[in-house]
């Protein structure tokens, strides 16, 4: 086995058996590493700063409890489909990481390959070197912590990794998160992977009031295990302390809280102190130990970082501010850390402060040259932020510089460097605000009110956390929402958080909208939910909107214009409802809703031209629904009317209506291509592409996808009328390559499709070698995708194989062409057996196999007769067949009859000639 390691800007990282996805600047999108057992930690190192014992990375406490949850994870790992994704969620400190780590250890012992994925940008620079991730025999498990903080596009990159698609090897993806708001969008995105999907909530620890089979409650048993683990590290393994009475309180439903109580109980006993009685006191106790450590280091003049050179010189107050800053930024590269610390104006050399900070908080991985490692665990870091910010009444010293430090770090969030830590900082402050009531109103909310764009820059997870805060005002959320992108288009990396804010604001917005405008609010909310992958919730919102508009008493409306507005909004609501119904597979209901919308809009547009745009949009949706139902003639009529309306509208207002005109022209081109009018299809597509080119020059991000798809369709249409389409197909190929480089899950199959079309165009242009290369690349991509998701990609693989067959046949490799075609026929047979709707496609592939055998002659002729009979049987089962298929059947039968005659099989040839179907009529072409 070999691997290739490429250096980017002096940095090298490689893997065996997996993909590397890298940004243009050389930073990996994510880092894959084999799971490793926790590192052995020296007892004196742990006692030096007791909070280190709570870090799951050191696994000081023996795993205990969570029997049912662990059993559920084992069943998920061992049962079900080859690929499965689980979203394991619970509040911070509940024990998700410990549970996942225990499952990882068990799985590794059982022969599974366990791999961790760390998000690349904005976190740490991955260590040089490489990872051997060749698949294990029993399966591959990928563990992703903080999954709700990953941009969705980056998770999709991860999900497309070859690591997860080793033949016959089960693969499991375990995603750890604090909440489940992001899960619907993730689940919708992995639907194309045909993976099993599930969620698992980690509930609070029982306080013993529920049924429990052990001698004590889960909390008391966990406390005892944690106490013994900590006592052993302190060198007093026989120590016994009383279980705190507070353990039964609500605050101790978290695993971390129980461990914290046990740790402070041991440390306080060894120090001869009485442990605090409540969770806030325990937290302050532990943070006091951090301060003590900083003071001791600074007070020991001979404490050497490097015995040959430096000593620890950072005073405790400067270290306090540095640790506070690290809690907000997280670890980073040394050069960036120098800039951050220099901006704190500590009156000390920044490099010395960073070196001293690393003594207290060394990098999580010694191989990583990072600085500003934060305080762990995360929940303790959040509490440290809250207690350092003024406004609380706990016995812990707040600092006057804390508010200024937060503002300095976040108000410059338009700077690309600052954007890297904005997600962490806002998320941690919002999480702290859930427990400490002063953090939001006195610190976080005023900052966001002055700079609401910071919340949007912080990303989806931060927005979700903000939307959950009880005391955040609707006015502040509205100020933040004003910076959201327009609701009409999806923004995958932001949509879950936007939907959470929209859900929180919905009652407020409805109360202010009034009965006539409430539907507009519900409509926009439904669209936000839809973009976030919450399909059922979006459908419910759209259905409620339709119901509310229908229930409005028209007699109570004061003015005819109000009645007209209600009808117009009802039509828009019905159109949106139809789109949601179509998205969940209820196509007949979708078509019914859209047609009702069109009836209303026709009446409105008959009285007032201002409704023409709404009518045209509804017609475009109806045309798409009819296409999905294979009602191509009806779809053509509907789309032609749509084009006429948008053409008139675009003449008066091109900025507003040209995007819709281009979409309707491309849709019309597809309809015309399916109804045996190829020249008209080409003309419609070309007109749409002219508009799309112009739109792409000013907004490439919004129109590149549409332009690439239109060019791909035009290339096919040109081929149908015998005109050269090489340049068109190659332009589409180039655009899809760019799109697939960013979003492979969505665009790799489209790239493969256009490559298959390019192969045919290149062949007829006399470029046989280039045609063969394009066809092979197309088949290679789709074969890989079909191995992973056969139901999604098998049909496209068959088409790509057909294109490869045509190329092979043209360059004289007839036997290879036959083998490739037979593979395509086998795929289509399986599809037709599962779904008779694919029988027409099977018949087309059978005819290709017949033609190849007829040309080969000899013993292949007998096989051709059998295959032709199979194709005829398929065609006879249907009253109507596409004109292209009927024509192909006649031609294949005539060709085979001629070859049979030429090789002396006159009787068989006579039978074929005698039963040839009649020539097509004009009526056939219209069907």
């Amino acid at each position: 086995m070999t691997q290739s390691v490429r250096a980017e800007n002096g940095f090298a990282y490689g893997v065996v058996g997996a993909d590397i996805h890298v940004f243009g600047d050389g930073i990996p999108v994510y880092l894959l590493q084999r799971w490793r057992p926790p590192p052995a930690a020296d007892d004196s190192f742990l006692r030096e700063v007791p909070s280190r014992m709570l870090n799951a990375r050191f696994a000081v406490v023996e795993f205990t409890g969570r029997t049912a949850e662990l059993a559920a994870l084992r069943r998920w790992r061992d049962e079900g489909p080859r690929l499965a994704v689980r979203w394991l969620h619970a509040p911070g400190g509940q024990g998700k990481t410990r549970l996942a780590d225990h499952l990882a250890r068990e799985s590794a012992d059982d022969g599974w390959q366990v791999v961790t994925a760390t998000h690349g940008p904005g976190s740490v620079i991955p260590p040089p070197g490489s990872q051997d991730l060749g698949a294990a025999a029993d399966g591959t498990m990928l563990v992703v912590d903080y999954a709700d903080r990953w941009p969705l596009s980056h998770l999709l990159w991860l999900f497309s990794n070859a690591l997860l698609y080793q033949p016959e090897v089960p693969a499991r993806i375990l995603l750890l998160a604090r909440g489940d708001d992001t899960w619907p969008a993730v689940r919708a995105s992995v639907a194309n992977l045909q993976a099993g999907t599930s969620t698992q909530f980690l509930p609070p620890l029982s306080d013993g009031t529920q049924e429990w089979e052990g001698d004590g409650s889960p909390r008391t048993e966990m406390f005892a295990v944690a106490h013994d683990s900590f006592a052993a590290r302190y060198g007093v393994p026989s120590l016994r302390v009383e279980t705190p009475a507070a353990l039964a309180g609500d605050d101790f439903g978290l695993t971390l809280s129980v461990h914290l109580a046990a740790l402070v109980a041991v440390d306080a006993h060894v120090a001869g102190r009485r442990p605090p009685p409540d969770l806030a006191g325990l937290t302050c106790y532990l943070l006091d130990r951090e301060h003590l450590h900083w003071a001791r280091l600074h007070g020991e003049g001979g404490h050497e970082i490097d015995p040959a050179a430096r000593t620890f010189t950072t005073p405790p107050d400067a270290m306090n501010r540095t640790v506070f800053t690290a809690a907000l930024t997280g670890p980073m590269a040394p050069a960036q850390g120098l800039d951050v610390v220099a901006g704190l104006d500590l009156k000390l050399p920044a490099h010395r402060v960073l070196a001293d900070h690393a003594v207290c908080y060394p990098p999580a991985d010694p191989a990583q040259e990072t600085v500003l490692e934060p305080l762990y665990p995360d929940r303790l870091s959040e509490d440290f932020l809250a207690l350092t910010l003024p406004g609380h009444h706990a016995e812990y010293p707040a600092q006057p510089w804390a508010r200024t430090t937060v503002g300095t770090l976040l108000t410059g969030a338009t700077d690309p460097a600052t954007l890297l830590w904005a997600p962490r900082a806002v998320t941690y402050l919002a999480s702290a605000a859930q427990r400490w009531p002063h953090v939001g109103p006195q610190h976080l909310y005023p900052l966001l009110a002055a700079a609401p764009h910071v919340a949007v820059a912080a990303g989806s997870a931060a927005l979700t956390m903000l939307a959950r805060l009880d005391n955040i005002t609707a006015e502040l959320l509205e100020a933040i929402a004003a910076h959201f992108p327009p609701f009409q288009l999806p923004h995958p990396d932001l949509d879950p958080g936007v939907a959470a804010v929209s859900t929180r604001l919905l009652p407020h917005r409805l109360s202010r909208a009034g009965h006539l405008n409430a539907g507009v609010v519900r409509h926009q909310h439904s669209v936000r939910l839809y973009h976030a992958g919450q399909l059922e919730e979006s459908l419910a919102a759209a259905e409620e909107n339709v119901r509310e508009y229908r229930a409005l008493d028209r007699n109570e409306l004061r003015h005819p214009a109000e009645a007209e507005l209600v009808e117009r909004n009802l039509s828009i609501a019905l159109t949106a409802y139809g789109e949601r119904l179509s998205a969940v597979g209820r196509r007949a209901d979708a078509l019914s809703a859209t047609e009702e919308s069109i009836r209303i809009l026709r009446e409105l547009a008959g009285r007032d031209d201002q409704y023409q745009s709404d009518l045209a949009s509804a017609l475009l949706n109806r045309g798409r629904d009819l296409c999905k139902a294979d009602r191509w003639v009806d779809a053509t009529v509907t789309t032609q009317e749509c084009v006429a309306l948008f053409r008139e509208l675009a003449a008066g207002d091109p900025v507003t209506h040209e995007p819709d005109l281009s979409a309707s022209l491309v849709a019309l081109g597809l309809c015309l291509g399916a109804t045996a009018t190829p020249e008209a299809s080409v003309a419609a597509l070309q007109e749409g592409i002219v508009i799309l080119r112009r739109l792409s020059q000013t907004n490439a991000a919004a129109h590149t996808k549409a332009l690439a798809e239109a060019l791909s369709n035009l290339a096919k249409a040109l081929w149908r009328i015998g005109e050269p389409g090489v340049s068109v197909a190659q332009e589409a190929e180039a655009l899809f390559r760019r799109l697939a480089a960013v979003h492979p899950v969505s665009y790799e199959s489209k790239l493969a499709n256009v490559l298959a079309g390019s192969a045919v165009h290149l062949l007829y242009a006399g470029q046989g070698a280039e045609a063969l290369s394009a066809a092979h690349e197309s088949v290679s991509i789709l074969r890989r995708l079909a191995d992973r998701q056969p139901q999604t990609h098998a049909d496209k693989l068959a088409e790509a194989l057909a294109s490869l067959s045509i190329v092979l046949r043209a360059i004289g490799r007839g036997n290879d062409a036959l083998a490739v075609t037979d593979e395509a026929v086998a795929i289509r047979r399986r599809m037709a057996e599962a779904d008779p709707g694919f029988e027409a496609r099977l018949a087309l592939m059978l005819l290709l196999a017949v033609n190849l055998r007829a040309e080969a002659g000899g013993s292949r002729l007998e096989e051709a007769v059998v295959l032709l009979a199979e194709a005829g049987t398929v065609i006879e089962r249907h009253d109507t067949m596409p004109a292209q298929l009927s024509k192909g059947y006649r031609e294949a039968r005539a060709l085979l009859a001629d070859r049979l005659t030429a090789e002396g099989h006159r009787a068989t040839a006579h039978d074929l000639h005698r039963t040839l179907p009649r020539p097509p009529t004009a009526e056939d072409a219209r069907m």
Side-chain angles (χ1 to χ4, degrees):
M1 181 177 291
T2 61
Q3 67 171 319
S4 174
V5 179
R6 184 179 69 177
E8 295 280 356
N9 298 329
F11 169 77
Y13 165 69
V15 292
V16 175
D19 297 323
I20 304 175
H21 293 135
V22 183
F23 290 109
D25 59 4
I27 298 298
V29 178
Y30 53 82
L31 179 68
L32 298 179
Q33 292 179 296
R34 270 191 177 274
W35 176 85
R36 294 172 294 176
D42 180 74
D43 289 351
S44 61
F45 170 78
L46 295 173
R47 291 195 301 270
E48 193 175 45
V49 183
S51 65
R52 291 170 179 165
M53 299 191 204
L54 296 176
N55 192 337
R57 178 165 59 95
F58 296 121
V60 171
V61 179
E62 178 185 348
F63 182 83
T64 186
R66 299 297 189 189
T67 305
E69 292 85 352
L70 185 59
L73 284 172
R74 291 192 190 111
R75 288 193 298 272
W76 166 75
R77 181 196 65 185
D78 296 334
E79 302 171 5
R82 192 202 65 79
L83 176 64
V85 182
R86 173 156 292 192
W87 188 269
L88 179 65
H89 63 102
Q94 194 64 278
K96 300 182 297 294
T97 302
R98 293 177 185 273
L99 178 60
D101 206 52
H102 189 74
L103 178 69
R105 180 190 294 275
E106 283 191 352
S107 300
D109 291 342
D110 291 342
W112 282 67
Q113 174 181 239
V114 183
V115 179
T116 61
T118 304
H119 194 220
S123 54
V124 296
I125 304 300
S130 59
Q131 295 283 313
D132 183 354
L133 302 180
D138 292 316
T140 293
M141 179 179 294
L142 180 63
V143 181
V144 186
D145 207 351
Y146 303 107
D148 50 341
R149 299 182 191 174
W150 285 50
L152 180 60
S153 58
H154 296 181
L155 278 178
L156 294 182
W157 271 93
L158 178 64
F159 295 159
S160 71
N161 199 290
L163 172 75
L164 303 170
Y165 301 97
Q166 306 291 343
E168 307 301 323
V169 177
R172 298 290 179 264
I173 305 174
L174 182 60
L175 303 167
L176 310 183
R178 286 196 174 188
D180 61 353
D181 297 77
T182 307
W183 171 241
V186 176
R187 180 179 56 204
S189 299
V190 302
N192 290 338
L193 302 178
Q194 295 180 7
T197 57
S198 57
T199 61
Q200 183 173 343
F201 174 66
L202 203 58
L205 296 169
S206 169
D207 61 2
T209 58
Q210 296 93 347
E211 183 179 348
W212 174 249
E213 297 178 357
D215 296 332
S217 76
R219 297 184 190 181
T220 56
E221 291 202 1
M222 184 172 286
F223 179 89
V225 172
H227 165 270
D228 291 346
S229 299
F230 295 136
R233 295 291 187 160
Y234 276 83
V236 287
S238 60
L239 177 66
R240 287 289 176 266
V241 298
E242 183 179 351
T243 302
L247 218 59
D250 292 341
D251 287 343
F252 291 89
L254 298 176
T255 298
L256 178 61
S257 300
V258 175
H259 286 185
L260 175 59
L263 174 61
V264 173
V266 173
D267 187 88
H269 185 89
V270 171
R273 300 174 57 185
R274 182 182 297 277
D278 57 14
L279 185 59
L282 295 170
T283 300
C284 292
Y285 178 99
L286 213 55
L287 292 176
D288 286 345
R289 295 285 275 110
E290 303 285 328
H291 286 266
L292 179 61
H293 182 57
W294 307 335
R296 283 174 176 171
L297 289 176
H298 183 250
E300 296 175 7
H303 184 90
E304 306 248 329
I305 297 173
D306 180 350
R310 301 173 297 171
T311 60
F312 192 104
T313 60
T314 304
D317 59 336
M319 184 56 65
N320 193 9
R321 192 170 182 184
T322 306
V323 175
F324 183 86
T325 299
L328 292 168
T329 66
M332 60 183 62
Q336 191 178 35
L338 283 169
D339 291 339
V340 170
V341 172
L344 298 178
D345 194 24
L346 298 174
K347 312 302 183 185
L348 295 166
H351 70 278
R352 178 61 59 84
V353 173
L354 287 176
D356 290 350
H357 180 271
V359 171
C360 301
Y361 306 96
D365 186 338
Q368 296 175 352
E369 296 181 358
T370 56
V371 296
L372 293 179
E373 191 74 17
L375 178 66
Y376 291 107
D378 290 345
R379 193 176 178 92
L380 182 63
S381 196
E382 294 163 1
D383 289 339
F384 170 62
L385 290 173
L387 288 164
T388 307
L389 289 164
H392 62 81
H393 301 290
E395 294 185 8
Y396 184 89
Q399 300 297 331
W401 46 255
R403 182 188 182 104
T404 304
T405 302
V406 173
T408 300
L409 288 169
L410 284 176
T411 53
T414 53
D415 177 62
T418 310
L419 288 174
L420 294 177
W421 62 72
R424 175 186 172 97
V426 176
T427 300
Y428 274 50
L429 288 168
S431 182
Q434 289 182 318
R435 302 187 298 279
W436 299 94
H438 71 291
V439 172
Q442 297 185 35
H443 301 284
L444 181 59
Y445 302 161
L447 184 150
L448 295 179
H453 67 278
V454 171
V456 182
S460 181
L463 290 171
T464 298
M465 192 70 71
L466 289 169
R468 291 177 184 161
L469 293 172
D470 292 336
N471 60 357
I472 193 169
T473 65
E475 289 72 22
L476 177 55
L477 287 176
E478 288 287 14
I480 293 170
H483 292 266
F484 289 167
F487 77 94
Q488 293 91 341
L489 296 176
H491 301 271
D493 291 343
L494 204 59
D495 285 332
V498 169
V501 173
S502 179
T503 299
R504 175 67 183 273
L505 283 173
L506 183 62
H508 169 76
R509 288 173 168 174
L510 288 175
S511 68
R512 301 180 62 183
H515 67 288
L516 290 181
N517 295 318
V520 177
V521 172
R522 282 191 293 266
H523 170 68
Q524 293 187 6
H525 178 59
S526 172
V527 175
R528 294 294 196 191
L529 293 172
Y530 177 73
H531 290 326
Q534 300 179 40
L535 301 185
E536 294 297 337
E537 294 85 348
S538 176
L539 174 62
E543 186 174 21
E544 181 185 4
N545 208 19
V546 171
R547 185 168 56 248
E548 291 290 336
Y549 272 122
R550 283 177 172 157
L552 273 175
D553 187 348
R554 272 53 170 180
N555 296 323
E556 294 182 0
L557 301 177
R558 296 185 298 272
H559 193 276
E562 291 184 348
E564 190 171 284
L565 178 61
V566 168
E567 291 303 299
R568 189 253 185 176
N569 287 345
L570 172 58
S571 70
I572 294 175
L574 284 163
T575 300
Y577 184 40
E579 292 174 350
R580 306 297 173 267
L581 288 165
S582 181
V584 299
R586 293 169 57 184
R587 292 180 181 173
D589 292 338
L591 195 56
S592 175
T594 304
E595 288 176 342
E596 182 181 353
S597 172
I598 290 171
R599 286 195 297 272
I600 296 171
L601 287 166
R602 284 196 191 283
E603 182 177 345
L604 291 172
R607 300 196 301 265
D608 192 332
D609 287 345
Q610 70 171 314
Y611 300 109
Q612 299 279 23
S613 176
D614 295 331
L615 174 59
S617 296
L619 288 167
L620 183 57
N621 284 344
R622 181 177 188 269
R624 289 168 175 166
D625 288 339
L626 290 168
C627 289
K628 291 176 182 177
D630 287 332
R631 293 172 55 183
W632 292 102
V633 173
D634 292 339
T636 301
V637 173
T638 297
T639 310
Q640 284 173 328
E641 182 183 2
C642 172
V643 167
L645 287 171
F646 274 131
R647 196 187 300 283
E648 181 179 347
L649 290 164
D653 185 359
V655 173
T656 301
H657 297 294
E658 276 197 334
D660 290 322
L661 175 58
S662 67
S664 61
L665 284 165
V666 171
L668 178 59
L670 293 175
C671 292
L672 293 170
T675 54
T677 49
E679 289 81 4
S681 171
V682 168
L685 288 166
Q686 286 176 330
E687 184 181 356
I689 287 169
V690 168
I691 298 172
L692 283 169
R693 287 192 194 283
R694 185 167 61 250
L695 295 173
S696 296
Q697 290 175 355
T698 56
N699 190 350
H703 301 291
T704 296
K705 174 188 173 184
L707 176 59
E709 291 179 341
L711 288 166
S712 177
N713 291 326
L714 176 60
K716 295 174 184 176
L718 289 169
W719 178 73
R720 283 195 292 268
I721 65 173
E723 291 192 10
V726 173
S727 61
V728 174
Q730 288 178 331
E731 184 181 359
E733 175 191 332
L735 291 176
F736 276 125
R737 283 194 191 279
R738 280 167 42 194
L739 292 167
V742 176
H743 205 322
V745 171
S746 297
Y747 294 110
E748 268 197 325
S749 64
K750 296 179 184 295
L751 171 61
N753 293 341
V754 78
L755 281 166
S758 292
V760 177
H761 287 290
L762 288 164
L763 177 66
Y764 288 115
Q767 303 177 48
E770 293 84 352
L772 185 61
S773 175
H776 273 305
E777 184 181 0
S778 173
V779 168
S780 176
I781 293 172
L782 285 165
R783 200 186 296 283
R784 170 169 50 83
L785 295 176
D787 284 344
R788 302 175 182 181
Q789 308 145 43
Q791 293 180 359
T792 303
H793 298 291
D795 187 50
K796 294 299 183 184
L797 173 59
E799 290 185 12
L801 288 166
S803 294
L804 176 58
S805 171
I806 291 170
V807 175
L808 290 168
R809 167 190 178 189
I811 63 176
R813 292 170 55 180
N815 288 335
D816 291 338
L818 274 171
V820 167
T821 304
D822 288 348
E823 182 184 354
V825 168
I827 292 172
R828 287 274 169 85
R829 276 203 187 102
R830 290 195 297 270
M831 295 176 67
E833 288 171 0
D835 183 353
F838 285 103
E839 285 195 328
R841 301 182 191 188
L842 168 61
L844 280 171
M845 202 62 69
L846 287 167
L847 295 178
L848 177 60
V850 168
N851 290 336
L852 287 171
R853 283 168 167 78
E855 291 174 358
S859 62
R860 297 291 189 180
L861 292 175
E862 185 176 343
E863 298 171 4
V865 171
V866 174
L867 291 172
L868 184 67
E870 182 182 354
T873 300
V874 170
I875 292 171
E876 288 172 2
R877 279 202 291 268
H878 298 269
D879 296 333
T880 61
M881 272 285 172
Q884 178 187 4
L885 180 56
S886 300
K887 178 183 177 184
Y889 179 65
R890 288 190 297 271
E891 291 175 348
R893 191 162 189 154
L895 173 63
L896 180 56
D898 290 343
R899 291 306 303 264
L900 287 166
T901 299
E903 296 197 19
H905 303 285
R906 297 184 182 278
T908 306
H910 176 72
D911 290 342
L912 288 178
H913 276 301
R914 182 170 55 81
T915 57
L916 272 173
R918 62 178 175 79
T921 65
E923 183 64 25
D924 292 329
R926 286 192 293 272
M927 294 180 64

